[in-house]
């Protein structure tokens, strides 16, 4: 059996074929909170899907900041991966679903003592396997919501989980350093040991 020549296909067929043979990239949007995630706003805790530009959220620095943009993103069924952050991990009061590239803020003492940073950002994807957190695919399309402020901000989700949100294109660089996957793995290992810290050295608990 021979493959028909390309010019024998209709335009729609050619588009479909090209899409099948084109190298596939990650189809999941990079950052955002899935519907159902609770964020702390001026009016109390609200599901992320109910937020609109202009709504004010509590931020890590203690101020209320208005949302500049709320972008709804579709996570494809079975193809798009999400990260389930388990309740109890990073002070989340209950499970929450995040897109893999969603940055999470931590100021754990290990970050301060070992990396000499006041706090750092880690990608949700790097939590896979830590303290009940895991990567998963969903059986049906779902919506995720990417939040943008005038400047980058850290907001509160599901009680104590702190999520980083980007600023507008005109805003300066991020306020906190992002850890690499290797740095995050080392940090999580240290956190899991429950070590006592002194002058940047890990001691046996």
């Amino acid at each position: 059996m021979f493959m028909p020549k390309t010019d024998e296909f209709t335009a729609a067929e050619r588009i479909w074929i090209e899409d099948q043979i084109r190298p596939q990239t990650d189809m999941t949007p990079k950052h955002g909170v899935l519907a159902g995630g609770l964020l702390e706003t001026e009016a109390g805790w609200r599901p992320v899907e109910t937020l609109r530009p202009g709504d004010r959220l509590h931020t890590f620095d203690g101020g209320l900041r208005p949302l500049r943009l709320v972008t709804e993103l579709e996570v494809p069924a079975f193809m798009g991966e999400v990260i389930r952050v388990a309740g109890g991990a990073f002070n989340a009061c209950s499970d929450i679903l995040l897109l893999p590239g969603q940055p999470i803020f931590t100021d754990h003492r290990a970050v301060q003592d070992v990396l000499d940073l006041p706090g750092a950002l880690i990608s949700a994807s790097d939590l896979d396997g830590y303290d009940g957190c895991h990567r998963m695919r969903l059986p049906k399309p779902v919506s995720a919501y990417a939040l943008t402020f005038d400047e980058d901000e850290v907001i509160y989700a599901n009680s104590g989980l702190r999520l980083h949100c980007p600023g507008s294109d005109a805003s300066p660089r991020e306020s906190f350093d992002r850890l690499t996957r290797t740095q995050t793995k080392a940090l999580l290992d240290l956190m899991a040991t429950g070590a006592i810290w002194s002058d940047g050295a890990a001691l046996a608990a």
Side-chain angles (χ1 to χ4, degrees), residues 124-202:
S125 60
D126 293 337
L127 295 184
D128 186 26
Y130 171 76
D131 199 16
C133 303
H134 62 275
R135 187 184 300 268
M136 59 186 294
R137 295 181 186 272
L138 301 178
K140 61 182 180 180
V142 295
S143 291
Y145 299 84
L147 309 181
T148 304
F149 292 84
D150 288 328
E151 298 179 349
D152 71 309
E153 301 286 356
V154 172
I155 61 175
Y156 293 91
N158 284 33
S159 186
L161 181 67
R162 291 171 291 183
L163 304 179
H164 178 268
C165 297
S168 64
D169 291 341
S171 66
R173 69 179 184 85
E174 292 175 348
S175 301
F176 298 100
D177 291 313
R178 286 179 182 250
L179 301 188
T180 65
R181 179 170 297 183
T182 300
Q183 289 174 321
T184 299
K185 175 65 166 57
L187 172 66
L188 297 180
D189 287 346
L190 291 172
M191 291 171 61
T193 65
I196 300 173
W197 293 90
S198 176
D199 297 327

Side-chain angles (χ1 to χ4, degrees), residues 35-87:
L38 298 176
L39 303 182
E40 189 178 18
T41 74
E42 184 177 27
W45 293 93
R46 290 174 51 187
V48 63
E49 65 269 24
T50 69
L51 299 180
R52 299 292 181 269
D55 289 340
R56 301 205 303 170
L57 277 71
H58 288 277
T59 61
F60 177 62
D61 66 6
L64 286 163
R65 298 290 185 269
L67 278 169
R68 180 185 181 94
L69 182 66
V70 179
T71 304
E72 183 175 359
L73 309 163
E74 182 177 285
V75 182
F78 296 109
M79 301 178 72
E81 291 187 331
V82 300
I83 304 298
R84 180 185 294 277
V85 177

